[in-house]
Amino acid sequence: MSEIISIHSFRGGTGKSNVTSNLAALIARSGKRVGIVDTDIQSPGIHVLFGLEQERIRYTLNDYLWGRCQIEEAVYDVSAILKQKQTFFGRQGSVHLIPSSIKMSDISRILREGYDARRLNDGLHNLVRRLKLDYLLIDTHPGINEETLLSIILSDVLVLILRPDKQDYQGTAVAIDVARKLEVPKMLIVINKALPSLDFKELGKRVENTYKTPVAGILPVCEEMFELGSGGIFCLRYPDHSWTQKISAIAKQITGSGVRLFAK
């Protein structure tokens, strides 16, 4: 049974795409077939983390939404970034990415004309079926808009990313309220970019009590992340780093897995 996981934040700058890419890589390393769709159409960029060069991209999510191609024609296999021959389960995991266009003309057209949400809905379900995905991760656009609402409705799991910031706290309350009204089966909070000086245990309890929603984990600010500068997937570059261990624990909670997700 495949699952759709939406990773969302009410505001930009929370590190949502970075968290999404690392979760995808870790889950794939356990031997799963993972898809990622960049529905942050207004400010796309997750393809950069997977080293997908613009020259390789013929079709994007935009092209599918405008009827220029089939959904599978906009998929790019980026599994090579995993750099492994065999997984813990004895079969090869994979990552399949649908990027959004970074062309200004395409972004402007989306903002001006919008698109048929039903076509996106059909495309995502077809993608899961045709690629035989175990998990489909949706990197959403920040805030609450049409594609965000659709992603939430489709989700088996909604992961909300927030920073320990007053504006993030207020916006996340809105997103959680919307998700509850849409009856999302499972919802988790990930606190990102937390200063190491904070009391993580107290912070987690406070956020859980405020939103009545489980905190899957707290990710600290780390210097190596800034040094990487979106030049790759952090957990693959730094497999023994404490940040990687924390994101691995979050991945286990999201998938409900008791298995070892990071298999070297």
Side-chain angles (χ1 to χ4, degrees):
M1 178 72 71
S2 59
E3 287 195 350
I4 296 178
I5 302 168
S6 287
I7 294 88
H8 182 62
S9 64
F10 190 81
R11 298 175 66 214
T14 60
K16 172 174 56 64
S17 293
N18 185 58
V19 170
T20 302
S21 61
N22 278 272
L23 288 173
L26 286 167
I27 295 170
R29 287 284 300 242
S30 73
K32 303 298 184 182
R33 292 179 62 83
V34 179
I36 307 172
V37 180
D38 188 353
T39 64
D40 190 356
I41 299 174
Q42 298 178 29
S43 52
I46 197 170
H47 62 280
V48 175
L49 293 159
F50 286 93
L52 180 59
E53 300 294 339
Q54 188 62 27
E55 297 75 29
R56 281 187 58 196
I57 301 176
R58 181 182 180 188
Y59 292 117
T60 64
L61 179 63
N62 306 61
D63 294 302
Y64 166 71
L65 294 174
W66 293 327
R68 296 175 179 170
C69 67
Q70 297 299 313
I71 190 69
E72 59 268 26
E73 293 180 276
V75 177
Y76 299 86
D77 189 334
V78 292
S79 307
I81 200 168
L82 299 175
K83 295 180 180 178
Q84 68 173 36
K85 295 181 180 179
Q86 198 73 11
T87 67
F88 184 71
F89 290 106
R91 70 182 181 91
Q92 184 70 45
S94 58
V95 181
H96 308 269
L97 172 65
I98 295 184
S100 282
S101 175
I102 63 171
K103 295 178 181 178
M104 184 54 64
S105 58
D106 290 344
I107 295 173
S108 298
R109 180 179 172 184
I110 283 287
L111 293 174
R112 185 175 63 252
E113 301 177 8
Y115 59 88
D116 185 352
R118 290 173 298 180
R119 184 168 175 80
L120 178 58
N121 178 46
D122 293 343
L124 295 179
H125 284 294
N126 288 336
L127 182 67
V128 169
R129 185 176 66 255
R130 293 174 186 176
L131 294 184
K132 298 180 181 179
L133 298 177
D134 296 301
Y135 293 95
L136 176 63
L137 275 61
I138 303 176
D139 185 10
T140 70
H141 181 69
I144 303 296
N145 54 24
E146 188 175 26
E147 61 260 31
T148 298
L149 291 174
L150 176 60
S151 298
I152 292 174
I153 291 170
L154 292 173
S155 300
D156 298 294
V157 183
L158 174 64
V159 180
L160 291 160
I161 312 294
L162 65 87
R163 295 164 298 186
D165 175 277
K166 287 185 177 180
Q167 292 186 49
D168 279 22
Y169 288 151
Q170 291 183 2
T172 299
V174 174
I176 287 176
D177 184 53
V178 170
R180 287 204 172 110
K181 289 178 179 177
L182 294 175
E183 299 181 346
V184 177
K186 182 177 180 180
M187 186 161 44
L188 296 168
I189 291 174
V190 171
I191 303 171
N192 195 24
K193 300 184 178 181
L195 292 174
S197 58
L198 293 173
D199 183 333
F200 282 17
K201 186 174 182 179
E202 188 278 332
L203 174 61
K205 286 183 177 179
R206 177 156 44 89
V207 170
E208 285 189 342
N209 290 334
T210 298
Y211 300 115
K212 303 298 186 288
T213 302
V215 172
I218 302 176
L219 299 169
V221 172
C222 71
E223 185 176 344
E224 293 89 345
M225 186 73 72
F226 287 102
E227 290 175 350
L228 189 58
S230 299
I233 309 298
F234 187 90
C235 67
L236 302 178
R237 293 288 188 91
Y238 299 93
D240 299 318
H241 197 282
S242 60
W243 192 96
T244 298
Q245 303 309 313
K246 291 180 184 298
I247 193 76
S248 180
I250 292 169
K252 290 179 181 179
Q253 291 191 60
I254 291 171
T255 60
S257 172
V259 303
R260 180 182 172 193
L261 281 170
F262 199 91
K264 296 182 185 179

